[in-house]
Structures are given as C-alpha cells and as structure tokens.
Amino acid sequence: MEQEWLTGGTAAVDGVVIEGLGDLRRAPGTRVQVACEGPVGLVVVGDCPVTQEELRAALPATRVGQWAGLTRWPGSYWVVADNGRQRFVCGDLAGSRAVYYTLRGNEAAWASQARLLEQDRRLTPDLPLVAARLTVGEHHWPHRTPYEQIRVVPGGFGLLLAPEAPPQLVDVNGVDPVDELREGAVRFGQALTNAVQHRVRVSGGAVGADLSGGLDSSAAVVLAADAGTVHAVTYTDGYTSGEDMAFASRIAEHTGARHTVATGGDEQLPFGFPAGQPSEAEPVLAAAMYAMDAAYLRPVQGLPLHLTGHGGDIVLDASSSCWVRLLQDGHRREAHRQVAAFARLRNTAPGPYWKALKHAADLGRSGALERAAETLEHGPVTPQTTVAGWSWCRLGAGASWLTADGRHQVAALLRQAAGDQQPELADEFDQWAALRSVGTSARGWAPYGHALGIRPVYPYLDNQVVRAAFGVPALARRGLVAYKPLLRAALPELPDWLTSRRSKGSFTAQRIAGLARHRDRLDELTASSPLAAAGLIDPAAVRTSLAQTARGQSATVIADLHQLIVTCWWLSGQTTRREVAAC
C-alpha cells in the first residue's frame, strides 16, 4: 500500500502535481479533493468525506483567511489553502499527519515527511535534543524534530506562509468546552461512531481491526461490526494477560466478527529488530515490536483499512494533572478529597501522591523546568524508583544515564523551553502533550504499515473526535470509580460487561523477556550509539540498568530503556543511510 505524502514541492521531488495549485505534489494514489476560484484554492489530502459542494462553500473563508474553519470536517487529512496572498498548510490536531518545514532565508520549504526536505537541509540528527527527549520527554519541544534545522508544526496549529515573510503558527484547536460529562458525551459518541462507521461503509469490503481486549479497540470493533464486515486480529503469547484474551474472544463473539489469534514465541519478543525491518523518520516505541506486529497482522494484509484503538487512552481518560488544575484554580479541599479517594481505591498511601501534586501546582510549568535544569547541573541524578503523582518534568532513569556534559546540554535546553509559550494549566498542557505523543507514534508506524500491507486508521485521533473529547473537562473524564466514564456515557449501547472493566493489559512482561533475550546485542547497540560517541550518555550506567531490568530487578525503568533502545537503533539507521549516500 502506498504511503501518502504531500509537499510544497520542487522539481527534484518525484510525485504527482495537484491541478489548481501546481507547485504542490503528492504521492501516487494519495486521495485529493480540490476546489479553485480565481486565485483562491483549497486542497484536502487524505481521509476526508468532504463533498465538492462543501469545499466550494469554504472558498469564501479561504479568501478572507478564516483558516481554523477549514479543519473541522470529519476524518484525518491535510489542508492546503491559498488566497493569493497567504498559504495555509495544516495537518491534524494529533500530528499524525505532520507538516515539517525548514527555513530558506525568511521563507519556508515544507512537506509531510522530513525526508522530502533533505534537498533543502541535510537530515542530521540533533543529538543534544535527542538526549533531552530521552531524559524528560518530547513534549517540552513540540515544534522541534530529532533533526537539526527541521521543524514540525505542533498538533493544534497550522502553518501560515507569505512571500518574503517568516512562517507563522496559527492556533486551530477549536475546542468548544462544556461544563460536564453528560453534556459532551452525546457529541463525542456521535463523532466516534461516524469516524469508525463512515470508513467501514466506504471501504468496499471487509476491514481489519486490532482487538486486544481493552476498551478502546473493543469499542471500535463493536462500532465497525454494526456497519460492515470485520476481521479482528489479536496477539497472544506466554506472557499475555488471560483476561485480555478472554475479553477479546467475548467481543468477537458478541459482534460476530471473524477473529484470528496469532500466538507468538521467542522470535516475536520485543527488541529483536529483525533484518529488513524498515526505518522510520523518528524514533518510536513501536520499532521494538515489529516482529510482533508482523506476526499478528499477517492475516489482514491487503484489506482496505485496519482500525486501531490507538489514542483512546488520551481522549477517553485524563491523568492526575486534573487534580493539579484543581489546586491551580484554588480548589484545594476538593483536590485533596479526590486524591484521597483515588489512593483508597488503589490501596496506596495518599501522602506522597498529594505532596507531588502540590509541588507541581506550586512550581508551575516554567518553575518545574528551571528546577529540573538545576538538578541536572548539580548532578549526578539518581533514577526515581517510584512514580508518585503527576509532574511537569520528571527526571527518570534517562537522566541518570547522562554524562556531566550531557546533563549540562539538556539543562540548557530545558531553560530554553521554560521560556517558550505553552499552556500553563496542568490538564491542558498534559492532554495536548499526550495527544502529540500518540500522533508521533502513529506517523512513525507508517513505514511499518507500508511494509506489512496494512493501512492503519486511528478514529480516536480524528479532529472532531479529539475536539469533542477535549471539550469535556479532564476532571470529568478522569473518573474515580468508573474507568473511562466518557466511553460509557457516550456509547450506552456497549455491553456493560465491557465498559465496567477496570483493568488494562500491558506488554511489560514481554519487554523484560525481550531485554533478557537480546541483552548482549542491546548493550552493544547503546554503547556504540552516536549518543555515547558524542559523550552525552554513559554506556556503563545504561549497562547496569539493562542488566538489572533483564533480571527483573528494576521494572520501573523499562519505559526509559525502551525509549533509549529504539532511539539508538534509529540513530544506527540514520548513520548507515548517510554512509550509503556518501558512497
């Protein structure tokens, strides 16, 4: 299946010219809809059910520069609009359809894939930024990519271009807030149902679907089965939760969907990086799971589309940042009541949790980043063994692997980020950071889908689904007793035995087993990585963490190790690609 791409285009880019805006190019097979009237043009590229009449009706908005209104159609797509004076380029709110750009003087070249800009800027990894993202996460630099001089338009924004002027970012998030869960549930339920069922109806045949047994993929399968024929696929192995498998089987029986279960073995364990695995534009966690994906997706290769539950956690739930928001708004008593109730339900002590949340509220985003920078500069940093509460900037195991020089470089980047304009309300900052993270993951999986003959669809990441979810207060989506209460309220037709599930499966056991199986190779991979060669990380410190985790002694650092390993593997691919290009 072709990978979709779009670029502002030069003659050096191989593609198909879009009629009406002749300097735009697209990959062969990419779906395009165009409306033009004199110098005014509007192009929608991707998965969007907009009609020609609706496009033409939007030309007046294009003419006067009402850009945000051009992003409110259902589906997942890019928009390019030109009124003769300015050009507006925008992907989706999650950033799964990215817009990358690089400066040429005061003007910008842009494309939907970073590699398409290589003729303008050599794609050189920005190693200090890569180290910083490993240490404290990518969300502090939403406009930057792992490449030097290549920027990305953050989810929730569009790119506005004009001749002889620097590019501008335009806020298009367009979230209409409601006061409570019930008020927003109907709107969310309709948006999600349309996002799933429209695609199934126009697919022209059976569609594939992930079915892990969790709420997100299960709900998507239920909705899809009401609109067409579904072939659901599930992965299992000796480490998989029996509860997940039971729920997946029950959903398949409930919907009448065809259900294929793939049983993996040692060859499918994470971190194997089999020969021939494609490389992606950015390091993504899914890179470690390629063998697993190849095994369970094989039965649905070549189907028109493949539904996933990716992103459901972000739109259906919220983190404990919502309690930090209560503290920021001065509702200390209510925040304490909810935190205590949450801890009681999980049989944990509320004290450390409450202390961390108060600390986050007192510091604020900028203060937290400055404090983290100070901690790094005065290092060394001991990895946190427990995660208590929510933090703007948590120094995890990745910080303990930095060298002294690495700590100072990351601290400098944190101080720069502290001055950037980002939401200062905890719940807003966190939900957009989480959304952009899953968007990065979705676009990073595109080369794998292409190699496996899968066209993934992410209904939970559609603009209108995200807007409907984020319109509901994070505090209401959090839920103390019910898990993901928005799903239950929005889709009451879902079986109660599904929406009342409180547990959630994970691949932690598989990841530990994979680390143990591939430990020697992974040790060599990290020790020989450009991060180590540049003196940013200490291979000995990584080796210690890897050995402990492979023995099951330190599962708390598994997420940081996962990110480091896929990043080192990605960097090795970037190095190989440059060496080949130089020959």
Side-chain angles (χ1 to χ4, degrees), residues 240-293:
T240 303
S241 158
E243 187 180 19
D244 280 349
M245 191 64 243
F247 269 93
S249 299
R250 193 171 182 183
I251 283 292
E253 182 179 0
H254 174 78
T255 59
R258 181 181 175 188
H259 189 206
T260 301
V261 178
T263 302
D266 288 348
E267 293 300 317
Q268 281 71 48
L269 286 172
F271 308 112
F273 302 112
Q277 175 173 338
S279 180
E280 65 287 328
E282 300 180 44
V284 292
L285 297 179
M289 309 292 192
Y290 183 71
M292 183 185 299
D293 289 343

Side-chain angles (χ1 to χ4, degrees), residues 8 67-68 70-71 78-82 86-92 97-103 106-112 117 143 151-162 165-172:
W67 309 117
L70 307 179
T71 70
W78 291 280
V79 167
V80 183
D82 198 310
Q86 297 171 306
R87 171 163 291 181
F88 173 73
V89 187
C90 191
D92 62 342
R97 292 184 180 269
V99 176
Y100 298 90
Y101 64 100
T102 188
L103 297 180
N106 282 333
E107 297 186 357
W110 65 270
S112 62
L117 296 173
H143 59 294
R151 297 293 183 262
V152 65
V153 178
F157 290 84
L159 186 67
L160 190 61
L161 306 170
Q168 299 178 44
L169 294 180
V170 179
D171 189 337
V172 298

Side-chain angles (χ1 to χ4, degrees), residues 168-191:
Q168 299 178 44
L169 294 180
V170 179
D171 189 337
V172 298
N173 80 76
V175 173
D176 299 320
V178 299
D179 292 330
E180 58 181 18
L181 180 71
R182 184 176 300 177
E183 186 179 352
V186 173
R187 184 171 62 180
F188 176 80
Q190 182 178 5

Side-chain angles (χ1 to χ4, degrees), residues 353-431:
Y353 209 78
W354 175 245
K355 182 178 178 180
L357 298 181
K358 285 196 302 178
H359 188 63
D362 291 341
L363 280 177
R365 186 188 69 87
S366 300
L369 267 61
E370 290 284 357
R371 180 68 60 85
E374 291 176 8
T375 301
L376 284 171
E377 287 178 333
H378 291 98
V381 179
T382 302
Q384 297 180 2
T385 56
T386 59
V387 178
W390 181 84
S391 172
W392 297 93
C393 182
R394 176 172 287 108
L395 296 178
S400 71
W401 303 328
L402 293 173
T403 63
D405 183 51
R407 291 196 302 273
H408 284 288
Q409 294 203 48
V410 172
L413 286 166
L414 279 172
R415 287 205 163 91
Q416 168 263 310
D420 289 346
Q421 187 173 359
Q422 284 219 60
E424 296 293 338
L425 295 174
D427 55 346
E428 291 184 13
F429 171 85
D430 190 60
Q431 69 184 12

Side-chain angles (χ1 to χ4, degrees), residues 300-318:
V300 290
Q301 286 179 346
L303 292 181
L305 59 87
H306 187 81
L307 292 164
T308 84
H310 192 69
D313 283 340
I314 308 306
V315 299
L316 293 173
D317 202 357

